[in-house]
């Protein structure tokens, strides 16, 4: 590796040191900007990112999975934008930090697995010095501010649950189970959805697992959001789920129509498992504008 290959990791370390000790709000703004830029690169410049970190030819299959993963980052960042604007309730940011710590911890485990047990032959050294190192800093920064937070997820529920709470519970169930299945059985899912792909490598399996980690973290945030007193937190969390699905849908449609990598039936099979959570989030978001409560 040349010196230029270490530059991204050095920049990440400098940004981490300059922001992590300057308060929770500064750190969350840094999180928002850094992850949004990273998601944009994955969505619009996936080939460049993959060529810098992986070995072998870059095909439409890897690009599709990389762009799909970016949708989970965009969805979570919708909520960060609200928290940076208003953080009066500690449980709001505490619940979000907890979900980030869980997601990034699972990602570190996945990266260790892919480089040790799996062998890591499909990845370049840059993946260790950039992806693993920056994820570690990302986890440590969120953990630092989480430990200093007294409330990790809102207050206990008081009074009859609102309609939004009902949809948040259902969102937790749907997204958490989806994340667990994706994290545990990525190769089986890929072989089922992409029977024409002859060879699955570590890049394919690892990218799908990363989607599962983000889903699990996001699902736990749905559970903690139920106890948060501020209704905007719940609305924006559901809105983030809708945004995530819309971006994912656009990615699938792009590969169905422009690259022709996906057939129409295959595209429906890719969208359908995530559509249930999206419909539930849409209904919950619409109902959140009234104050109806279950009796």
């Amino acid at each position: 590796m040349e010196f230029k290959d270490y530059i991204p990791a050095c920049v990440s370390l400098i940004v981490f040191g300059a922001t992590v000790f300057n308060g929770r709000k500064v750190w969350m703004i840094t999180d928002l900007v850094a992850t949004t830029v990273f998601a944009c690169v994955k969505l619009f410049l996936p080939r460049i990112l993959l060529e810098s970190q992986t070995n072998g030819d870059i095909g439409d299959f890897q690009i599709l999975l990389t762009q799909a993963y970016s949708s989970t980052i965009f969805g979570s960042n919708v909520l960060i934008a609200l928290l940076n604007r208003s953080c009066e309730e500690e449980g709001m940011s505490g619940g979000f930090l907890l979900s980030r710590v869980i997601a990034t911890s699972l990602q570190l485990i996945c990266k260790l697995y892919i480089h040790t047990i799996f062998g890591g032959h499909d990845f370049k050294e840059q993946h260790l010095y950039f992806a693993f190192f920056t994820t570690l800093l990302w986890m440590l920064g969120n953990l630092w501010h989480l430990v200093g937070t007294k409330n990790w997820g809102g207050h206990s529920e008081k009074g009859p649950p609102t309609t939004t709470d009902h949809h948040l519970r259902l969102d937790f169930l749907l997204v958490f189970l989806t994340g667990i299945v994706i994290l545990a059985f990525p190769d089986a899912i890929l072989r089922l959805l992409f029977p024409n792909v002859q060879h699955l490598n570590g890049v394919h399996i690892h990218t799908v697992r990363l989607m599962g980690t983000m889903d699990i973290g996001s699902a736990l945030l749905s559970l903690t959001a139920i106890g948060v007193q501020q209704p905007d937190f719940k609305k924006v969390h559901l809105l983030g789920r809708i945004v995530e699905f819309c971006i994912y849908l656009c990615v699938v449609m792009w590969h169905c129509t422009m690259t022709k990598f996906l057939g129409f039936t295959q595209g429906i099979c890719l969208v359908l498992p995530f559509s249930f959570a999206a419909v539930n989030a849409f209904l919950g978001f619409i109902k959140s504008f009234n104050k109806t409560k279950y009796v």
Side-chain angles (χ1 to χ4, degrees), residues 4-181:
K4 64 179 181 180
D5 296 322
Y6 296 96
I7 293 179
C10 294
V11 172
S12 300
L13 182 60
I14 293 172
V15 173
F16 172 82
T19 59
V20 70
F21 301 114
N22 285 329
R24 189 193 320 165
K25 190 175 182 66
V26 173
W27 169 255
M28 295 185 70
I29 292 175
T30 304
D31 186 312
L32 173 64
V33 174
T35 53
T36 300
V37 170
F38 184 61
C40 286
V41 173
K42 278 186 169 291
L43 182 62
F44 298 109
L45 301 171
R47 187 176 296 275
I48 295 176
L49 183 65
L50 289 170
E51 287 176 348
S52 68
Q53 297 188 22
T54 62
N55 297 313
D57 297 330
I58 308 300
D60 290 332
F61 187 33
Q62 291 183 358
I63 292 177
L64 166 64
L65 296 178
T66 301
Q67 291 176 324
Y69 170 50
S70 71
S71 67
T72 62
I73 304 176
F74 280 117
S76 66
N77 284 4
V78 172
L79 183 58
I80 275 198
L82 169 72
L83 294 178
N84 284 326
R85 187 188 67 182
S86 174
C87 283
E88 292 96 0
E89 191 172 338
E90 190 178 45
M92 294 169 58
S93 54
F96 181 82
L97 291 169
L98 177 61
S99 71
R100 280 290 209 229
V101 170
I102 291 173
T104 51
S105 298
L106 291 173
Q107 288 185 13
L108 288 173
I109 294 173
C110 291
K111 294 179 190 300
L112 285 174
Y113 171 83
I114 207 70
H115 280 281
T116 54
I117 300 176
F118 201 83
H121 307 297
D122 300 309
F123 291 92
K124 296 179 180 179
E125 290 184 7
Q126 285 90 333
H127 187 261
L128 270 177
Y129 287 98
F130 177 69
F132 183 85
F133 185 67
T134 53
T135 303
L136 177 62
L137 294 178
W138 189 21
M139 187 274 291
L140 291 175
N142 285 293
L143 181 61
W144 171 264
H145 289 284
L146 178 64
V147 170
T149 301
K150 296 180 180 179
N151 189 337
W152 286 20
H155 309 282
S156 59
E157 297 181 50
K158 298 179 181 180
T162 64
T163 55
T164 306
D165 293 338
H166 173 73
H167 287 282
L168 286 170
R169 290 191 188 91
L170 187 56
D171 182 81
F172 163 74
L173 181 63
L174 292 171
V175 179
F176 184 76
L177 291 178
T178 300
I180 289 293
V181 172

Side-chain angles (χ1 to χ4, degrees), residues 205-242:
I205 294 174
H206 180 63
T207 305
V208 173
R209 279 204 174 105
L210 293 180
M211 293 179 63
T213 63
M214 293 297 290
D215 281 342
I216 291 173
S218 180
L220 293 175
L221 183 57
S222 298
L223 199 60
T224 60
I226 296 172
V228 173
Q229 300 297 309
Q230 191 171 40
D232 285 349
F233 182 91
K234 303 177 182 183
K235 291 181 184 178
V236 176
H237 180 56
L238 293 173
L239 178 62
R241 187 77 67 219
I242 298 170

Side-chain angles (χ1 to χ4, degrees), residues 231-283:
D232 285 349
F233 182 91
K234 303 177 182 183
K235 291 181 184 178
V236 176
H237 180 56
L238 293 173
L239 178 62
R241 187 77 67 219
I242 298 170
V243 170
E244 175 184 340
F245 178 77
C246 289
I247 295 176
Y248 177 75
L249 179 62
C250 291
V251 169
V252 173
M253 290 178 61
W254 172 267
H255 286 275
C256 285
T257 57
M258 303 303 294
T259 67
K260 304 296 184 181
F261 175 72
L262 296 174
F264 179 74
T265 303
Q266 196 174 20
I268 293 178
C269 292
L270 286 173
V271 170
L272 189 61
F274 301 97
S275 61
F276 299 105
V279 171
N280 172 68
F282 178 76
L283 294 176

